[in-house]
Amino acid sequence: MGARGPRKKLAQIDKLDGNPSNRPIFNAQVEAFGEAFVPEHLPDDARGCIEVVKRSMPPKIYAALDTFVLSAFAMAWAVHKRASHAIADPEFEWIVVNGQGSQSPNPWLRTLNSQAAVMASLGDRLGLNPKARADLKLPAAKPQSKFDGLIGQNGSSPSLNA
């Protein structure tokens, strides 16, 4: 049985939120390296999906290890898209005769629904659901001080010998 209560946020997300509680942020997880990439073996639709997801999230949220979950999400989306196109065909038959000779729902319907469930599950893990996005806050930009620029760019005081 897992821990009780809501799942703890990732340390990176706590840092992006600006740590409003001022409690120390413990990064007890192993930090993954690299940047998520788009595997070449995926179809074009899945590759495009990964690119959209990567561009839609703040930098350094996904690492190279996340590529595999992103790939599974993207493939589920590509198969879901294919099923959607098949269902949208004007000649689509909602009820078909199966191998035993009885009527059953078209297999594209089961495919569409199963891929939607996979996308919902993986999307939650990737932080792609609306609640995860609502909880994600980027730090506010610091207002510019009227004293900015009085001291040199590198932090040293201006030369008095000039």
Side-chain angles (χ1 to χ4, degrees):
M1 190 156 115
R4 293 184 175 199
R7 207 177 340 172
K8 187 171 170 39
K9 286 184 187 177
L10 294 173
Q12 296 93 326
I13 305 255
D14 269 342
K15 288 176 187 172
L16 286 174
D17 284 345
N19 194 14
S21 66
N22 292 325
R23 292 181 182 157
I25 297 175
F26 296 108
N27 193 2
Q29 67 187 24
V30 175
E31 189 169 329
F33 298 108
E35 185 178 329
F37 58 93
V38 181
E40 292 183 17
H41 71 279
L42 296 178
D44 288 340
D45 285 339
R47 297 177 74 173
C49 177
I50 291 176
E51 287 296 335
V52 168
V53 169
K54 283 176 49 180
R55 282 192 308 246
S56 299
M57 293 297 277
K60 297 186 180 180
I61 291 293
Y62 299 129
L65 286 175
D66 299 318
T67 298
F68 307 108
V69 177
L70 282 167
S71 296
F73 176 85
M75 277 302 298
W77 181 83
V79 173
H80 185 272
K81 178 182 173 188
R82 172 71 175 94
S84 298
H85 282 294
I87 292 170
D89 185 355
E91 297 178 14
F92 179 76
E93 295 182 27
W94 293 87
I95 305 293
V96 296
V97 177
N98 63 20
Q100 286 106 11
S102 61
Q103 292 184 340
S104 64
N106 194 310
W108 280 118
L109 297 170
R110 186 178 22 234
T111 302
L112 182 83
N113 291 330
S114 67
Q115 296 308 305
V118 169
M119 289 186 326
S121 173
L122 293 177
D124 185 48
R125 292 174 186 242
L126 292 167
L128 301 180
N129 63 40
K131 183 183 181 316
R133 285 193 311 272
D135 290 342
L136 184 65
K137 299 176 202 105
L138 296 176
K142 292 182 182 178
Q144 189 171 5
S145 169
K146 64 181 179 182
F147 300 109
D148 282 352
L150 291 177
I151 299 178
Q153 291 288 83
N154 61 5
S156 63
S157 51
S159 173
L160 297 175
N161 297 339

